[in-house]
């Protein structure tokens, strides 16, 4: 199978994720979209690794997974505390950081 | 012997310090202490003078270096004194007349509870004035110059409870500041031109300097002289300065301080000799002031202001003579000394008259005082004869010499200056005769003062009459003593130099013309005031009289041109400041503020909009990278 197709898939997933980040209001959904973008990147790394015949991309994919796991912990904690204090998980409600 | 020079200044300075810091404990002896120290200064001056007379004319310059004031690389200011024949003349005049006026003030200020302070200020004046004439460089001279200005300010405003005196003091100070600016600029110019401001090096290196620079320095020195010596255009303060106690008018505003300008010009003679344009301006200023002061003196009914106009006019003679160059320097100083005698005497006489007339100054309310104040009458009369130039008296010799020198200037210039000086002599005779007749002759026109006290004129105490007698003796004999055998000329010539000039008419003709002018002046005054009743209330008078009563509109001129002009200038500057300068500053601030207000809207707090900008930015970077790759 042509590895370029994996790259098309990665692009598609990334675009879906980015669109979700931009248009969805629910923090959990935004968060899942970010995960989708990260995993699209992982897929691209692995596909490139396969195309170039070395392991650099795969190593980077592992790094990304570790970072993503840590990010999930922090991100979910923020979303939970946000929901507890405001009784809403909408990112638009938390628009206090402005002049 | 030379070490005594510093004591000349130190004695009155010590007196000023003790009297002004000593407090009320010294109230009872303060006047005696002040007089004693002034007299001490005079005694030292006489000792130095006799020592100087014992030496040959070339060795008569004494100097004393006291200490280095500002020793900096490339800038050397010393406190050092130089006593030559010119300084000696001034020192004797200042300390001599100063001592006499201290003695006079003991009687005149007897009932003033601030007499101690008055003597402190007088001593301060003497110290500053002696410093001025003894300094061996222009910077130290400037210290004395400012010192006499300060003393003059304090003494004019001595009766500061009178608003008129306080205002007059301020006016004198401010007008003098204009002149002082001239002196400071002149000193700066000297420093940049010659690299020093000591008399010796500056005056010796005049020959190597361009005429333009010397003219600039000369004109600045003239501005300084105009301020201190009340010459046109900085003359307006002298009339008001008569608000001060009369001894102050006699000492500071007649005999000594106002002649400092003449001293400055004569001392800087080498500069003026090399700058004929500056010299011409000096003579013009002298000639204009001579007539200006004389005309003002004719119209004033206030005896002191009439004498102030006369002082202005006589100093105009001196400045005119000083502007003539080596032809006139000696005669300027000679007239200065004789004027010091007779004008101080006249002022002291006026003070004596006021003392006996409940401090009335209006001559229209005097009359017939000769019977009641015989000593004052005789001494004032001798001063009067001296100032109008009655043959044989002081003014005759000194003024005649100036008129001769003016003619000897040569050319059209000489004729004009000489004629002005002659005309001035006629006007002098007129206004002084007027003062004399209105005060001492005619009928009594005495009026009760504001509290209803009738005046009871009486002769003043001996502490006042003795100085008047001494000054009257000086007024009579000084001129003859100086002129016979050219004593004064030989004495001063080594310092100032002398040149006889080319007189177009002989000395005898000049003297004859002066006598004719004198007779005409006295005659007109007698016809006007001696034969007719003098009205107690001044008649309206002609246009010229009314203008002269207002000091020939000098204050109006200053008000319209300088005060109004200054106001308009500041207003327009404020307008420019508000519109242009503030406009630029405020405009910049407003545009930055407006721009940031618009940019601020981008910070709306929505995470998604930040994400858009992030994605946008990333897309731009990627596109740019690809573009670079393609190129």
């Amino acid at each position: 199978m042509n590895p370029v197709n994996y790259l098309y898939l990665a692009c598609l997933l990334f675009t879906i994720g980015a669109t979700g980040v931009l248009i969805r209001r629910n923090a959990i959904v935004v968060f899942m979209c970010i995960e989708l973008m990260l995993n699209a990147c992982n897929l691209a790394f692995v596909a490139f690794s396969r195309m170039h015949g070395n392991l650099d991309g795969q190593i980077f994919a592992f790094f990304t997974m570790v970072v993503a796991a840590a990010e999930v912990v922090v991100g979910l904690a923020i979303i939970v505390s946000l929901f507890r204090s405001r009784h809403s998980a909408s990112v638009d409600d938390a628009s206090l950081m402005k002049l | 012997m030379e070490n005594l020079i510093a004591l000349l200044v130190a004695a009155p300075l010590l007196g000023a310090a003790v009297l002004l810091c000593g407090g009320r404990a010294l109230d009872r002896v303060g006047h005696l202490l002040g007089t004693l120290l002034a007299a001490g200064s005079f005694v030292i001056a006489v000792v130095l003078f006799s020592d100087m007379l014992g030496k040959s004319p070339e060795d008569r310059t004494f100097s004393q270096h006291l200490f280095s004031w500002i020793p900096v690389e490339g800038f050397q200011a010393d406190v050092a004194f130089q006593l030559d024949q010119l300084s000696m003349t001034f020192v004797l005049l200042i300390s001599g007349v100063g001592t006499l006026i201290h003695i006079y003030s003991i009687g005149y200020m007897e009932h003033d509870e601030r007499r101690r302070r008055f003597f402190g200020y007088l001593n301060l004046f003497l110290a500053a004035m002696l410093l001025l004439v003894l300094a061996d460089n222009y910077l130290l001279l400037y210290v004395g110059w400012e010192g006499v200005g300060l003393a003059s300010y304090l003494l004019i405003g001595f009766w500061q409870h009178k608003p008129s005196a306080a205002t007059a003091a301020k006016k004198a100070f401010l007008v003098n500041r204009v002149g002082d600016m001239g002196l400071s600029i002149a000193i700066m110019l000297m420093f940049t031109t010659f690299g020093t401001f000591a008399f010796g090096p500056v005056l010796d290196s005049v020959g190597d300097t361009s005429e333009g620079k010397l003219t600039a320095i000369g004109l600045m020195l003239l501005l300084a002289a105009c301020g201190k010596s009340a010459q046109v255009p900085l003359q307006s303060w002298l009339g008001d300065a008569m608000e001060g106690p009369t001894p102050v008018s006699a000492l500071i505003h007649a005999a000594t301080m106002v002649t400092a300008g003449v001293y400055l010009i004569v001392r800087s003679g080498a500069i003026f000799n090399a700058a004929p344009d500056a010299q011409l301006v000096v003579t013009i200023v002298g000639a204009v002031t001579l007539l200006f002061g004389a005309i003002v003196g004719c119209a004033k009914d206030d005896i002191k202001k009439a004498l102030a106009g006369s002082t202005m006019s006589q100093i105009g003679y001196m400045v005119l003579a000083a502007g003539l160059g080596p032809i006139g320097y000696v005669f300027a100083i000679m007239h200065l000394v004789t004027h010091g005698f007779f004008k101080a005497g006249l002022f002291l006489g006026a003070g004596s008259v006021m003392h006996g007339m409940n401090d009335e100054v209006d001559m229209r309310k005097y009359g017939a005082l000769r019977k009641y104040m015989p000593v004052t009458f005789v001494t004032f009369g001798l001063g009067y004869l001296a100032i109008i130039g009655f043959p044989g008296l002081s003014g005759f010799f000194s003024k005649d010499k100036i008129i001769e020198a003016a003619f000897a200037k040569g050319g059209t210039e000489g004729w004009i200056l000489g004629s002005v000086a002659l005309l001035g002599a006629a006007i002098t005779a007129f206004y002084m005769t007027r003062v004399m007749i209105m005060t001492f002759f005619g009928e009594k026109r005495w009026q009760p003062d504001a509290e209803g006290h009738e005046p009871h004129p009486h002769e003043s105490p001996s502490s006042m009459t003795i100085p008047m007698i001494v000054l009257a003796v000086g007024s009579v004999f000084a001129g003859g003593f100086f002129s016979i055998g050219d004593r004064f000329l030989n004495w001063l010539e080594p310092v100032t130099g002398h040149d006889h000039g080319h007189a177009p008419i002989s000395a005898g003709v000049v003297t004859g013309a002066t006598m004719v002018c004198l007779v005409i002046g006295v005659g007109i005054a007698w016809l006007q005031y001696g034969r007719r009743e003098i009205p107690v209330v001044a008649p309206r008078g002609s246009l010229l009289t009314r203008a002269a009563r207002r000091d020939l509109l000098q204050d109006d001129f200053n008000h319209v041109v300088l005060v109004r002009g200054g106001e308009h200038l500041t207003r327009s500057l404020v307008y420019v400041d508000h519109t242009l300068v503030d406009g630029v500053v405020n405009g910049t601030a407003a545009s930055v503020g407006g721009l940031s207000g618009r940019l601020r809207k981008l910070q709306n707090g929505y995470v998604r909009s930040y994400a858009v900008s992030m994605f946008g930015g990333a897309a731009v970077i990627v596109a740019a990278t690809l573009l670079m790759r393609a190129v």
Side-chain angles (χ1 to χ4, degrees), chain A residues 21-25 37 92 94-95 97-99, chain B residues 600 603-612 615:
Chain A
V21 166
L22 292 183
I23 64 174
R24 296 304 297 261
R25 292 199 178 129
M37 286 158 70
D92 284 6
S95 63
M97 294 281 280
K98 63 180 178 186
L99 285 166
Chain B
R600 192 184 66 180
Q603 298 278 341
N604 54 12
Y606 293 118
V607 175
R608 289 179 296 140
S609 77
Y610 300 149
V612 169
F615 285 133

Side-chain angles (χ1 to χ4, degrees), chain B residues 375-580:
Chain B
V375 180
T376 306
F377 168 62
V378 171
T379 54
F380 196 94
L382 290 173
Y384 155 75
L385 290 177
I387 191 174
I388 63 172
F390 191 80
L393 276 72
S394 290
F396 168 75
F397 292 104
S398 52
K399 198 187 291 177
D400 204 49
K401 288 285 185 195
I402 292 180
I403 298 173
E404 268 176 43
F407 278 114
K409 173 84 178 164
T412 332
E413 218 181 303
W415 280 103
I416 295 172
L417 294 174
S419 315
V420 167
L422 270 180
L423 180 62
I427 307 178
T428 307
F430 173 79
Y431 67 72
M432 284 312 299
T433 310
R434 172 175 177 271
V435 169
M436 197 68 197
I437 291 175
M438 286 174 87
T439 306
F440 293 103
F441 292 91
E443 297 300 314
K444 292 179 197 174
R445 299 180 301 277
W446 308 344
Q447 308 285 322
D449 66 9
E451 283 108 42
H453 300 299
E454 287 288 338
H456 297 289
H458 51 84
E459 192 50 83
S460 301
S462 57
S463 66
M464 289 168 70
T465 49
I466 289 169
M468 285 154 60
I469 293 167
V470 175
L471 288 170
V473 170
S475 317
V476 174
F477 296 111
F481 179 77
F482 290 158
S483 293
I484 292 165
D486 285 336
R487 281 202 186 99
F488 201 75
L489 182 61
N490 296 333
W491 162 252
L492 267 189
E493 200 184 347
V495 182
T496 58
H498 187 66
D499 174 10
H500 286 286
H502 312 285
I505 46 180
S506 75
V509 176
V510 173
T511 310
T514 314
M515 284 305 111
V516 170
C517 287
L518 170 67
V519 171
I520 293 173
V522 173
I524 295 176
W526 186 75
L527 288 176
Q528 184 93 14
Y529 299 98
R531 290 205 321 174
R532 292 190 218 153
E533 191 82 352
I534 298 166
V536 175
V537 179
R540 192 153 177 272
S542 67
L543 200 63
L544 180 65
T545 313
R546 272 179 281 151
R549 274 191 199 133
R550 299 188 57 143
D551 300 315
L552 290 178
L553 307 179
Q554 61 189 10
D555 285 337
D556 306 74
F557 175 82
N558 286 350
H559 188 74
V560 170
V561 176
L562 300 176
V563 178
R564 285 279 164 74
E567 279 172 357
H568 283 300
L569 182 68
T570 50
R571 254 181 233 148
S572 49
L573 285 178
V574 165
Y575 178 76
V576 169
D577 181 48
H578 279 176
T579 50
L580 193 72

Side-chain angles (χ1 to χ4, degrees), chain B residues 264-326:
Chain B
L264 186 67
I265 296 174
V266 174
R267 176 59 84 192
S268 315
I271 295 175
F272 284 97
N273 291 346
D277 292 341
Q279 232 171 9
L280 179 67
V281 181
V282 174
T283 51
I284 293 171
V285 165
V288 169
T289 312
L290 188 168
L291 290 181
F292 189 103
I295 292 170
V296 170
C298 291
K300 292 285 183 184
D301 289 330
D302 179 327
I303 186 168
K304 285 178 74 182
K305 290 199 171 165
L307 290 177
S310 159
T311 302
M312 210 183 277
S313 165
Q314 298 301 313
I315 297 172
Y317 270 107
M318 299 171 209
V319 171
L320 169 63
L324 296 172

Side-chain angles (χ1 to χ4, degrees), chain B residues 58-81:
Chain B
E58 297 80 41
D59 300 332
R60 282 182 177 167
T61 302
F62 297 169
S63 57
Q64 181 184 6
H65 185 274
L66 217 53
F67 58 90
S68 271
W69 179 17
I70 311 173
V72 183
E73 182 70 35
F75 182 95
Q76 187 71 29
D78 291 335
V79 174
F81 300 122

